[in-house]
Amino acid sequence: MQGIVPVAADLVRRDMEVAGAAGPLPARLYLAGAPATKRDTLVVFFHGGGFVGGSIDEADDFLAHLVSADRAQVALSAGYTLASVKPFPAAVEDAHALLLWAKKNKSKLSWNGKRLVVAGIEAGANLAAVVSLMSRDRGGPPLAGQVLIMPMLDPALSTCSMREMPVCRDKAAIADKVADSCAAGYRGYLPNAADRSHPYASPLQSSRLKNLPPALILSAEDDPLRDEAEQYGAKLIKCGITTTVKRLPPPPLEQPGGRNDCACVFALTEIAAFIRGVDGTETPPA
């Protein structure tokens, strides 16, 4: 990968189990340097896969480069219950339980507890956005920031970018496949139609977006998920949340891991700088 910070020679990857809402979950810890040194910032990252697939392996390169770009950050790639095992709200309850576990197990994570940031890509970005709401509503744990990379935020699939295909035939076929995959994922994750308007399933439709942590939201050209990401950013800004929205070049959606590669190549420095800049101030209760 040209033009980005290389992976640190002393990068540490450590597979471990963490506590979800209903049992242990797989996770992988990433840090550069001595594990005994406590970092100021923990980034909890949720993988993609449309709620019905994916694993902690998908963002391996991205998180390795992220912690190499800033040694004050340690990252935890977290698994969650897939919809094929148990649908909504199992995944979001896992996400919140994991944050509570992390606060109680700082020493295992080479973290001093100062700043906690949530991040995710696609369906994982939905979980990152939702767990920000949950942490506010449930009185913690306090979050310093949220990073949403090409997020799935609208189960209704109602935005223009989701419904309008690109002019190029090849790109249109790929976008149509992505839209179909999103629809299939939501069918598995939200089999009860009434849940599709729940703010913990559809943050874009939430009417309560105040008192949330600062956000970095990344959309991408030619991506069916583009408009919901940018609309969510606009809503956060309107509610007074410090929010940066950036549109990346088109991700290689035809390739497995294309979204992760796009974020790693085009936005790694910005993501690392955003995380470095959050101050860890607890957002007030709603």
Side-chain angles (χ1 to χ4, degrees):
M1 295 183 182
Q2 297 181 352
I4 62 174
V5 176
V7 172
D10 55 356
L11 177 75
V12 175
R13 292 179 176 91
R14 182 189 304 157
D15 287 345
M16 59 197 308
E17 282 191 344
V18 298
L25 296 168
R28 182 172 297 150
L29 188 69
Y30 297 79
L31 58 97
T37 302
K38 299 297 185 288
R39 278 73 174 172
D40 286 342
T41 304
L42 171 65
V43 181
V44 175
F45 185 90
F46 301 105
H47 65 78
F51 302 105
V52 295
S55 74
I56 61 172
D57 295 327
E58 292 186 355
D60 193 72
D61 285 343
F62 170 69
L63 295 177
H65 284 88
L66 181 67
V67 299
S68 297
D70 187 349
R71 290 170 177 264
Q73 301 174 15
V74 57
L76 183 69
S77 181
Y80 51 87
T81 300
L82 298 179
S84 56
V85 177
K86 192 173 183 181
F88 175 85
V92 293
E93 292 294 347
D94 278 341
H96 188 253
L98 170 64
L99 299 187
L100 295 173
W101 178 90
K103 290 292 286 187
K104 294 178 180 178
N105 292 271
K106 296 187 291 292
S107 61
K108 295 181 180 179
L109 303 173
S110 298
W111 177 45
N112 63 18
K114 186 175 181 181
R115 289 188 290 266
L116 178 58
V117 175
V118 290
I121 193 163
E122 191 223 29
N126 176 293
L127 299 183
V130 168
V131 82
S132 299
L133 299 172
M134 297 173 77
S135 293
R136 177 201 63 189
D137 296 344
R138 298 179 180 184
L143 300 178
Q146 53 180 319
V147 179
L148 313 182
I149 305 169
M150 292 168 264
M152 291 175 64
L153 301 170
D154 178 26
L157 306 177
S158 60
T159 63
C160 290
S161 62
M162 184 60 69
R163 292 182 286 107
E164 295 178 358
M165 295 297 107
V167 175
C168 173
R169 181 177 299 178
D170 290 341
K171 289 185 177 180
I174 294 169
D176 189 47
K177 184 177 179 180
V178 172
D180 287 346
S181 295
C182 290
Y186 278 127
R187 285 195 297 270
Y189 184 53
L190 301 165
N192 182 354
D195 288 335
R196 297 196 170 203
S197 59
H198 196 293
Y200 290 175
S202 178
L204 183 62
Q205 305 306 322
S206 175
S207 60
R208 296 180 61 250
L209 295 176
K210 293 184 178 181
N211 301 318
L212 292 173
L216 173 63
I217 301 178
L218 303 176
S219 64
E221 291 284 358
D222 294 336
D223 184 6
L225 295 170
R226 182 191 65 233
D227 284 359
E228 56 201 84
E230 296 176 1
Q231 288 175 19
Y232 192 62
K235 291 186 72 171
L236 290 181
I237 292 169
K238 186 176 181 180
C239 289
I241 308 303
T242 302
T243 303
T244 299
V245 181
K246 180 175 181 179
R247 186 182 294 185
L248 303 178
L253 296 175
E254 73 282 2
Q255 300 176 11
R259 295 181 188 279
N260 290 293
D261 291 344
C262 182
C264 196
V265 172
F266 296 112
L268 182 75
T269 301
E270 185 161 357
I271 293 170
F274 170 82
I275 295 170
R276 189 185 308 116
V278 295
D279 64 9
T281 302
E282 182 174 356
T283 51

